[in-house]
Amino acid sequence: MTSTIQPLSTARESSRLISSEKVTGSKVENTKGDSLGHIEEIMIDKISGRVGYAVLNYNSFLGMGGKLFALPWDVLKFDTQRDAYIIGIPEERLKTAPSFDAGILPDMGDPAWGKAVHDYYGSGADWYL
């Protein structure tokens, strides 16, 4: 009998599922291949269980400093060839996106904040309302 279960890494990954531990630190690039930073953390909606946002750490040096951006999860696509999450936004547009500093999180539960962020990135998600 052939097993259909794939071996798991120490970070618990399968072909479709990935541990949040492994997503943290993943590269983020735009469609041109420009590095935009890395995923600092992911934010999960406690009620629905959906991943709401990936927090992008942009322009940090050795993991320190930089601005943080809440990217709606549905605007990110994982590219297995580039081993990175891809977002279809030019770097110049990202620089003017809503951002925040480490330790000063916005009220991500505020529907007005959620709408502004989702509208900025052209996200079709509506779970945050």
Side-chain angles (χ1 to χ4, degrees), residues 30-110:
N30 64 18
T31 54
K32 292 182 2 183
D34 300 323
S35 174
L36 300 178
H38 67 275
I39 295 176
E40 186 78 19
E41 59 185 314
I42 59 171
M43 304 302 290
I44 300 169
D45 180 70
K46 292 190 285 186
I47 306 302
S48 71
R50 295 180 186 166
V51 175
Y53 302 98
V55 177
L56 170 68
N57 187 324
Y58 170 77
N59 208 17
S60 68
F61 180 71
L62 298 176
M64 298 174 60
K67 292 298 261 181
L68 300 176
F69 298 86
L71 303 176
W73 189 250
D74 70 320
V75 302
L76 291 167
K77 305 296 178 232
F78 189 75
D79 186 315
T80 57
Q81 299 297 313
R82 290 160 61 176
D83 193 31
Y85 287 91
I86 309 302
I87 184 169
I89 184 172
E91 190 170 3
E92 289 304 314
R93 180 148 169 80
L94 180 65
K95 289 178 182 178
T96 60
S99 65
F100 53 97
D101 295 315
I104 309 172
L105 290 176
D107 181 2
M108 293 184 179
D110 176 8

